[in-house]
Amino acid sequence: MAAKIPNDIYQFSIVSAYKAGLTQAGPPVRALQGYGTDGIAYFPRNGGELLFLDSTAYFIPPNQGHQASRTASPVTSTSPDTSVSPNENIMEHAKGDILLPFVMVTKFVPEFSLNISGDTEMESLMDLLECEGPVAGGKNSFMPFRLRGSFSSVSLHDVGPGSRRSSNATSSPPPPSSDSERERKLENVNGTIFGFHGPKWAEGISPTGFHCSFVSERDEGGVVRGGRVRDFKVNGAVELTWAKTGRFHLGLPTDGKFEELDLGSNGESGMLSPTSSY
C-alpha cells in the first residue's frame, strides 16, 4: 500500500500506451482505496470509464452504440429498477476485481475553496482556479478539483473508442437528434463533479486540460446518473474545492507488450481517444 500523502497523484500507465491498445492489465478496482479517495480510470478497450469518488467506484458505460452486455458489464447493480435503459446515463458500482489499464487517483484534501453561483460553466473554471494566485495552481500544474451543489445542466461526453473517419472524408457526421441530445444532458440536478486538470506538458502521459465526471444524488427510485463531463452550468449554490499537486507518482507496465509500442510515433490510426473534457 502506498503512503497516502494528500493530493499526491498516483498514476498507472500513460495515456499514449492506452491509446495504442495496451488495455489488458492494471490494478483492480478494489486496490484504489490503498492509494487515495478520488480519481478516474479507463476500463479495457470499449469498456467505459470509472469515477472514484469519496472511496466509491462508479462505472461509466460506453455509449457510442456499443453498450456492454449486462452479463459482461463490470458493475455490481445497486439500482432497484433493473428495467431502466442503459442509455439513460445510469451510474452503478464497479466490481472490485475488474482490472484498470489506466488510473489516476489521489487522497483529495481540499486546500482552496470558493462558493460560486450564477453564470458559471466549464469555460470559466481555470479563471476560478487561478483566482488565489500561483500558490493555488495554474495552467502548468496538476490540480484535483471538485464541484458540489446544484447544476442547471451537465452535458456529458460519449466514452469508449473514438470515432474513426478516413483521411479522405469530406463531410462531418450528422448532428445528433434531439432525442440523443436529451439523453446526453442532465438538467436541474444536484450532485458532484470530480476530476483533474492536467498541464499541456503532460500530453501523452496524462489527460490534459480538464478531465472530470459527474455523479448525481440518488433520485426517488434510488438511481444515480452521471458520466464524463463535457460542460456544465451552475444553478444556485455550488462549492468549488481544489488543491495543487506537489508530487506525481507514475507506475509503468512491466510486460513486454509495453516495449513493443511505438509511443514516439505520430500515427494514431485506430487509437482510442480518452481526451480531456475541455
PDB file of all heavy atoms in Angstrom, residues 107-135:
ATOM      1  N   LYS A 107      -5.478  11.101  -2.722  1.00  0.00           N
ATOM      2  CA  LYS A 107      -6.179  11.342  -1.463  1.00  0.00           C
ATOM      3  C   LYS A 107      -6.526  12.823  -1.455  1.00  0.00           C
ATOM      4  O   LYS A 107      -5.714  13.671  -1.096  1.00  0.00           O
ATOM      5  CB  LYS A 107      -5.303  10.990  -0.261  1.00  0.00           C
ATOM      6  CG  LYS A 107      -5.997  11.225   1.080  1.00  0.00           C
ATOM      7  CD  LYS A 107      -5.085  10.915   2.251  1.00  0.00           C
ATOM      8  CE  LYS A 107      -5.793  11.192   3.576  1.00  0.00           C
ATOM      9  NZ  LYS A 107      -4.902  10.922   4.735  1.00  0.00           N
ATOM     10  N   PHE A 108      -7.754  13.125  -1.868  1.00  0.00           N
ATOM     11  CA  PHE A 108      -8.138  14.519  -2.091  1.00  0.00           C
ATOM     12  C   PHE A 108      -8.440  15.207  -0.764  1.00  0.00           C
ATOM     13  O   PHE A 108      -9.371  14.834  -0.046  1.00  0.00           O
ATOM     14  CB  PHE A 108      -9.349  14.586  -3.014  1.00  0.00           C
ATOM     15  CG  PHE A 108      -9.787  15.988  -3.337  1.00  0.00           C
ATOM     16  CD1 PHE A 108      -8.885  16.918  -3.821  1.00  0.00           C
ATOM     17  CD2 PHE A 108     -11.112  16.377  -3.162  1.00  0.00           C
ATOM     18  CE1 PHE A 108      -9.282  18.216  -4.123  1.00  0.00           C
ATOM     19  CE2 PHE A 108     -11.523  17.663  -3.465  1.00  0.00           C
ATOM     20  CZ  PHE A 108     -10.607  18.586  -3.947  1.00  0.00           C
ATOM     21  N   VAL A 109      -7.624  16.210  -0.450  1.00  0.00           N
ATOM     22  CA  VAL A 109      -7.824  17.053   0.727  1.00  0.00           C
ATOM     23  C   VAL A 109      -7.805  18.497   0.237  1.00  0.00           C
ATOM     24  O   VAL A 109      -6.736  19.038  -0.063  1.00  0.00           O
ATOM     25  CB  VAL A 109      -6.732  16.827   1.788  1.00  0.00           C
ATOM     26  CG1 VAL A 109      -6.940  17.761   2.976  1.00  0.00           C
ATOM     27  CG2 VAL A 109      -6.717  15.375   2.244  1.00  0.00           C
ATOM     28  N   PRO A 110      -8.966  19.141   0.109  1.00  0.00           N
ATOM     29  CA  PRO A 110      -9.008  20.491  -0.467  1.00  0.00           C
ATOM     30  C   PRO A 110      -8.130  21.483   0.288  1.00  0.00           C
ATOM     31  O   PRO A 110      -8.077  21.485   1.517  1.00  0.00           O
ATOM     32  CB  PRO A 110     -10.489  20.870  -0.354  1.00  0.00           C
ATOM     33  CG  PRO A 110     -11.215  19.568  -0.298  1.00  0.00           C
ATOM     34  CD  PRO A 110     -10.309  18.641   0.446  1.00  0.00           C
ATOM     35  N   GLU A 111      -7.434  22.310  -0.487  1.00  0.00           N
ATOM     36  CA  GLU A 111      -6.605  23.376   0.079  1.00  0.00           C
ATOM     37  C   GLU A 111      -7.217  24.750  -0.148  1.00  0.00           C
ATOM     38  O   GLU A 111      -6.897  25.700   0.560  1.00  0.00           O
ATOM     39  CB  GLU A 111      -5.210  23.332  -0.552  1.00  0.00           C
ATOM     40  CG  GLU A 111      -4.447  22.048  -0.262  1.00  0.00           C
ATOM     41  CD  GLU A 111      -3.120  21.972  -1.005  1.00  0.00           C
ATOM     42  OE1 GLU A 111      -2.958  22.709  -2.010  1.00  0.00           O
ATOM     43  OE2 GLU A 111      -2.254  21.192  -0.584  1.00  0.00           O
ATOM     44  N   PHE A 112      -8.095  24.845  -1.156  1.00  0.00           N
ATOM     45  CA  PHE A 112      -8.715  26.119  -1.508  1.00  0.00           C
ATOM     46  C   PHE A 112     -10.187  25.871  -1.798  1.00  0.00           C
ATOM     47  O   PHE A 112     -10.576  24.781  -2.228  1.00  0.00           O
ATOM     48  CB  PHE A 112      -8.034  26.735  -2.737  1.00  0.00           C
ATOM     49  CG  PHE A 112      -6.544  26.849  -2.603  1.00  0.00           C
ATOM     50  CD1 PHE A 112      -5.713  25.857  -3.106  1.00  0.00           C
ATOM     51  CD2 PHE A 112      -5.973  27.931  -1.957  1.00  0.00           C
ATOM     52  CE1 PHE A 112      -4.337  25.945  -2.976  1.00  0.00           C
ATOM     53  CE2 PHE A 112      -4.597  28.025  -1.819  1.00  0.00           C
ATOM     54  CZ  PHE A 112      -3.776  27.034  -2.330  1.00  0.00           C
ATOM     55  N   SER A 113     -11.015  26.893  -1.571  1.00  0.00           N
ATOM     56  CA  SER A 113     -12.447  26.729  -1.816  1.00  0.00           C
ATOM     57  C   SER A 113     -13.074  28.056  -2.214  1.00  0.00           C
ATOM     58  O   SER A 113     -12.606  29.134  -1.820  1.00  0.00           O
ATOM     59  CB  SER A 113     -13.156  26.167  -0.578  1.00  0.00           C
ATOM     60  OG  SER A 113     -13.099  27.086   0.490  1.00  0.00           O
ATOM     61  N   LEU A 114     -14.129  27.950  -3.016  1.00  0.00           N
ATOM     62  CA  LEU A 114     -14.932  29.098  -3.425  1.00  0.00           C
ATOM     63  C   LEU A 114     -16.388  28.676  -3.448  1.00  0.00           C
ATOM     64  O   LEU A 114     -16.713  27.553  -3.860  1.00  0.00           O
ATOM     65  CB  LEU A 114     -14.548  29.571  -4.828  1.00  0.00           C
ATOM     66  CG  LEU A 114     -13.260  30.365  -5.032  1.00  0.00           C
ATOM     67  CD1 LEU A 114     -13.054  30.593  -6.529  1.00  0.00           C
ATOM     68  CD2 LEU A 114     -13.324  31.700  -4.301  1.00  0.00           C
ATOM     69  N   ASN A 115     -17.274  29.551  -3.024  1.00  0.00           N
ATOM     70  CA  ASN A 115     -18.700  29.350  -3.220  1.00  0.00           C
ATOM     71  C   ASN A 115     -19.108  30.139  -4.448  1.00  0.00           C
ATOM     72  O   ASN A 115     -18.917  31.359  -4.502  1.00  0.00           O
ATOM     73  CB  ASN A 115     -19.486  29.807  -1.991  1.00  0.00           C
ATOM     74  CG  ASN A 115     -19.248  28.918  -0.790  1.00  0.00           C
ATOM     75  OD1 ASN A 115     -19.201  27.699  -0.923  1.00  0.00           O
ATOM     76  ND2 ASN A 115     -19.077  29.515   0.382  1.00  0.00           N
ATOM     77  N   ILE A 116     -19.632  29.442  -5.452  1.00  0.00           N
ATOM     78  CA  ILE A 116     -19.942  30.090  -6.721  1.00  0.00           C
ATOM     79  C   ILE A 116     -21.424  29.931  -7.033  1.00  0.00           C
ATOM     80  O   ILE A 116     -22.100  29.041  -6.527  1.00  0.00           O
ATOM     81  CB  ILE A 116     -19.095  29.516  -7.872  1.00  0.00           C
ATOM     82  CG1 ILE A 116     -19.331  28.005  -8.021  1.00  0.00           C
ATOM     83  CG2 ILE A 116     -17.617  29.784  -7.632  1.00  0.00           C
ATOM     84  CD1 ILE A 116     -18.575  27.387  -9.174  1.00  0.00           C
ATOM     85  N   SER A 117     -21.925  30.817  -7.884  1.00  0.00           N
ATOM     86  CA  SER A 117     -23.321  30.758  -8.312  1.00  0.00           C
ATOM     87  C   SER A 117     -23.448  31.566  -9.594  1.00  0.00           C
ATOM     88  O   SER A 117     -22.503  32.218 -10.040  1.00  0.00           O
ATOM     89  CB  SER A 117     -24.251  31.326  -7.230  1.00  0.00           C
ATOM     90  OG  SER A 117     -23.939  32.675  -6.965  1.00  0.00           O
ATOM     91  N   GLY A 118     -24.631  31.523 -10.180  1.00  0.00           N
ATOM     92  CA  GLY A 118     -24.864  32.327 -11.373  1.00  0.00           C
ATOM     93  C   GLY A 118     -24.314  31.683 -12.626  1.00  0.00           C
ATOM     94  O   GLY A 118     -24.288  30.462 -12.759  1.00  0.00           O
ATOM     95  N   ASP A 119     -23.828  32.509 -13.542  1.00  0.00           N
ATOM     96  CA  ASP A 119     -23.418  32.048 -14.869  1.00  0.00           C
ATOM     97  C   ASP A 119     -21.999  31.484 -14.846  1.00  0.00           C
ATOM     98  O   ASP A 119     -21.060  32.071 -15.393  1.00  0.00           O
ATOM     99  CB  ASP A 119     -23.514  33.196 -15.880  1.00  0.00           C
ATOM    100  CG  ASP A 119     -24.936  33.681 -16.052  1.00  0.00           C
ATOM    101  OD1 ASP A 119     -25.846  32.847 -15.900  1.00  0.00           O
ATOM    102  OD2 ASP A 119     -25.134  34.875 -16.324  1.00  0.00           O
ATOM    103  N   THR A 120     -21.834  30.341 -14.220  1.00  0.00           N
ATOM    104  CA  THR A 120     -20.533  29.674 -14.172  1.00  0.00           C
ATOM    105  C   THR A 120     -20.607  28.396 -14.987  1.00  0.00           C
ATOM    106  O   THR A 120     -21.561  27.625 -14.872  1.00  0.00           O
ATOM    107  CB  THR A 120     -20.149  29.336 -12.721  1.00  0.00           C
ATOM    108  OG1 THR A 120     -20.145  30.536 -11.943  1.00  0.00           O
ATOM    109  CG2 THR A 120     -18.767  28.704 -12.669  1.00  0.00           C
ATOM    110  N   GLU A 121     -19.600  28.175 -15.843  1.00  0.00           N
ATOM    111  CA  GLU A 121     -19.565  26.983 -16.677  1.00  0.00           C
ATOM    112  C   GLU A 121     -18.120  26.545 -16.864  1.00  0.00           C
ATOM    113  O   GLU A 121     -17.189  27.157 -16.321  1.00  0.00           O
ATOM    114  CB  GLU A 121     -20.245  27.247 -18.020  1.00  0.00           C
ATOM    115  CG  GLU A 121     -19.735  28.470 -18.735  1.00  0.00           C
ATOM    116  CD  GLU A 121     -20.628  28.875 -19.902  1.00  0.00           C
ATOM    117  OE1 GLU A 121     -21.824  28.553 -19.903  1.00  0.00           O
ATOM    118  OE2 GLU A 121     -20.093  29.517 -20.821  1.00  0.00           O
ATOM    119  N   MET A 122     -17.919  25.467 -17.630  1.00  0.00           N
ATOM    120  CA  MET A 122     -16.586  24.887 -17.780  1.00  0.00           C
ATOM    121  C   MET A 122     -15.569  25.904 -18.285  1.00  0.00           C
ATOM    122  O   MET A 122     -14.415  25.929 -17.847  1.00  0.00           O
ATOM    123  CB  MET A 122     -16.655  23.694 -18.736  1.00  0.00           C
ATOM    124  CG  MET A 122     -15.349  22.954 -18.909  1.00  0.00           C
ATOM    125  SD  MET A 122     -14.944  21.883 -17.512  1.00  0.00           S
ATOM    126  CE  MET A 122     -15.880  20.417 -17.955  1.00  0.00           C
ATOM    127  N   GLU A 123     -15.991  26.769 -19.192  1.00  0.00           N
ATOM    128  CA  GLU A 123     -15.077  27.730 -19.804  1.00  0.00           C
ATOM    129  C   GLU A 123     -14.434  28.662 -18.780  1.00  0.00           C
ATOM    130  O   GLU A 123     -13.319  29.147 -18.978  1.00  0.00           O
ATOM    131  CB  GLU A 123     -15.823  28.543 -20.867  1.00  0.00           C
ATOM    132  CG  GLU A 123     -14.936  29.461 -21.676  1.00  0.00           C
ATOM    133  CD  GLU A 123     -15.704  30.173 -22.776  1.00  0.00           C
ATOM    134  OE1 GLU A 123     -16.947  30.067 -22.794  1.00  0.00           O
ATOM    135  OE2 GLU A 123     -15.061  30.828 -23.613  1.00  0.00           O
ATOM    136  N   SER A 124     -15.126  28.904 -17.673  1.00  0.00           N
ATOM    137  CA  SER A 124     -14.612  29.832 -16.664  1.00  0.00           C
ATOM    138  C   SER A 124     -13.873  29.135 -15.530  1.00  0.00           C
ATOM    139  O   SER A 124     -13.421  29.792 -14.588  1.00  0.00           O
ATOM    140  CB  SER A 124     -15.767  30.656 -16.082  1.00  0.00           C
ATOM    141  OG  SER A 124     -16.741  29.816 -15.482  1.00  0.00           O
ATOM    142  N   LEU A 125     -13.716  27.808 -15.618  1.00  0.00           N
ATOM    143  CA  LEU A 125     -13.163  27.062 -14.493  1.00  0.00           C
ATOM    144  C   LEU A 125     -11.711  27.436 -14.203  1.00  0.00           C
ATOM    145  O   LEU A 125     -11.324  27.610 -13.044  1.00  0.00           O
ATOM    146  CB  LEU A 125     -13.290  25.561 -14.758  1.00  0.00           C
ATOM    147  CG  LEU A 125     -12.984  24.620 -13.596  1.00  0.00           C
ATOM    148  CD1 LEU A 125     -13.761  24.991 -12.345  1.00  0.00           C
ATOM    149  CD2 LEU A 125     -13.287  23.172 -13.992  1.00  0.00           C
ATOM    150  N   MET A 126     -10.873  27.583 -15.228  1.00  0.00           N
ATOM    151  CA  MET A 126      -9.479  27.925 -14.975  1.00  0.00           C
ATOM    152  C   MET A 126      -9.352  29.290 -14.313  1.00  0.00           C
ATOM    153  O   MET A 126      -8.529  29.489 -13.411  1.00  0.00           O
ATOM    154  CB  MET A 126      -8.671  27.885 -16.272  1.00  0.00           C
ATOM    155  CG  MET A 126      -7.194  28.262 -16.094  1.00  0.00           C
ATOM    156  SD  MET A 126      -6.313  27.261 -14.856  1.00  0.00           S
ATOM    157  CE  MET A 126      -6.001  25.774 -15.797  1.00  0.00           C
ATOM    158  N   ASP A 127     -10.164  30.258 -14.729  1.00  0.00           N
ATOM    159  CA  ASP A 127     -10.121  31.578 -14.093  1.00  0.00           C
ATOM    160  C   ASP A 127     -10.420  31.471 -12.604  1.00  0.00           C
ATOM    161  O   ASP A 127      -9.800  32.158 -11.781  1.00  0.00           O
ATOM    162  CB  ASP A 127     -11.129  32.518 -14.752  1.00  0.00           C
ATOM    163  CG  ASP A 127     -10.729  32.910 -16.164  1.00  0.00           C
ATOM    164  OD1 ASP A 127      -9.526  32.824 -16.481  1.00  0.00           O
ATOM    165  OD2 ASP A 127     -11.616  33.289 -16.946  1.00  0.00           O
ATOM    166  N   LEU A 128     -11.361  30.602 -12.236  1.00  0.00           N
ATOM    167  CA  LEU A 128     -11.699  30.425 -10.828  1.00  0.00           C
ATOM    168  C   LEU A 128     -10.551  29.775 -10.067  1.00  0.00           C
ATOM    169  O   LEU A 128     -10.210  30.181  -8.950  1.00  0.00           O
ATOM    170  CB  LEU A 128     -12.965  29.577 -10.699  1.00  0.00           C
ATOM    171  CG  LEU A 128     -14.253  30.204 -11.226  1.00  0.00           C
ATOM    172  CD1 LEU A 128     -15.383  29.179 -11.226  1.00  0.00           C
ATOM    173  CD2 LEU A 128     -14.646  31.418 -10.387  1.00  0.00           C
ATOM    174  N   LEU A 129      -9.917  28.761 -10.675  1.00  0.00           N
ATOM    175  CA  LEU A 129      -8.827  28.062 -10.003  1.00  0.00           C
ATOM    176  C   LEU A 129      -7.594  28.955  -9.831  1.00  0.00           C
ATOM    177  O   LEU A 129      -6.798  28.752  -8.911  1.00  0.00           O
ATOM    178  CB  LEU A 129      -8.451  26.801 -10.783  1.00  0.00           C
ATOM    179  CG  LEU A 129      -9.524  25.710 -10.866  1.00  0.00           C
ATOM    180  CD1 LEU A 129      -9.050  24.575 -11.756  1.00  0.00           C
ATOM    181  CD2 LEU A 129      -9.894  25.182  -9.492  1.00  0.00           C
ATOM    182  N   GLU A 130      -7.438  29.935 -10.710  1.00  0.00           N
ATOM    183  CA  GLU A 130      -6.278  30.824 -10.637  1.00  0.00           C
ATOM    184  C   GLU A 130      -6.525  32.055  -9.771  1.00  0.00           C
ATOM    185  O   GLU A 130      -5.615  32.870  -9.585  1.00  0.00           O
ATOM    186  CB  GLU A 130      -5.870  31.270 -12.038  1.00  0.00           C
ATOM    187  CG  GLU A 130      -5.280  30.157 -12.896  1.00  0.00           C
ATOM    188  CD  GLU A 130      -4.849  30.642 -14.265  1.00  0.00           C
ATOM    189  OE1 GLU A 130      -5.467  31.605 -14.775  1.00  0.00           O
ATOM    190  OE2 GLU A 130      -3.903  30.066 -14.823  1.00  0.00           O
ATOM    191  N   CYS A 131      -7.739  32.178  -9.220  1.00  0.00           N
ATOM    192  CA  CYS A 131      -8.078  33.412  -8.506  1.00  0.00           C
ATOM    193  C   CYS A 131      -7.279  33.598  -7.222  1.00  0.00           C
ATOM    194  O   CYS A 131      -7.149  34.719  -6.724  1.00  0.00           O
ATOM    195  CB  CYS A 131      -9.579  33.460  -8.211  1.00  0.00           C
ATOM    196  SG  CYS A 131     -10.113  32.309  -6.934  1.00  0.00           S
ATOM    197  N   GLU A 132      -6.730  32.508  -6.664  1.00  0.00           N
ATOM    198  CA  GLU A 132      -5.939  32.608  -5.440  1.00  0.00           C
ATOM    199  C   GLU A 132      -4.458  32.845  -5.722  1.00  0.00           C
ATOM    200  O   GLU A 132      -3.645  32.857  -4.796  1.00  0.00           O
ATOM    201  CB  GLU A 132      -6.104  31.327  -4.610  1.00  0.00           C
ATOM    202  CG  GLU A 132      -7.520  31.058  -4.129  1.00  0.00           C
ATOM    203  CD  GLU A 132      -7.948  32.003  -3.021  1.00  0.00           C
ATOM    204  OE1 GLU A 132      -7.066  32.637  -2.414  1.00  0.00           O
ATOM    205  OE2 GLU A 132      -9.158  32.112  -2.764  1.00  0.00           O
ATOM    206  N   GLY A 133      -4.101  32.997  -6.993  1.00  0.00           N
ATOM    207  CA  GLY A 133      -2.710  33.242  -7.342  1.00  0.00           C
ATOM    208  C   GLY A 133      -1.949  31.957  -7.616  1.00  0.00           C
ATOM    209  O   GLY A 133      -2.480  30.848  -7.465  1.00  0.00           O
ATOM    210  N   PRO A 134      -0.671  32.066  -8.012  1.00  0.00           N
ATOM    211  CA  PRO A 134       0.122  30.892  -8.405  1.00  0.00           C
ATOM    212  C   PRO A 134       0.249  29.834  -7.326  1.00  0.00           C
ATOM    213  O   PRO A 134       0.436  28.652  -7.635  1.00  0.00           O
ATOM    214  CB  PRO A 134       1.490  31.494  -8.748  1.00  0.00           C
ATOM    215  CG  PRO A 134       1.212  32.924  -9.071  1.00  0.00           C
ATOM    216  CD  PRO A 134       0.063  33.327  -8.208  1.00  0.00           C
ATOM    217  N   VAL A 135       0.165  30.213  -6.057  1.00  0.00           N
ATOM    218  CA  VAL A 135       0.285  29.224  -4.985  1.00  0.00           C
ATOM    219  C   VAL A 135      -0.831  28.192  -5.057  1.00  0.00           C
ATOM    220  O   VAL A 135      -0.684  27.063  -4.581  1.00  0.00           O
ATOM    221  CB  VAL A 135       0.281  29.921  -3.604  1.00  0.00           C
ATOM    222  CG1 VAL A 135      -1.073  30.543  -3.310  1.00  0.00           C
ATOM    223  CG2 VAL A 135       0.674  28.944  -2.502  1.00  0.00           C
TER     224      VAL A 135
END
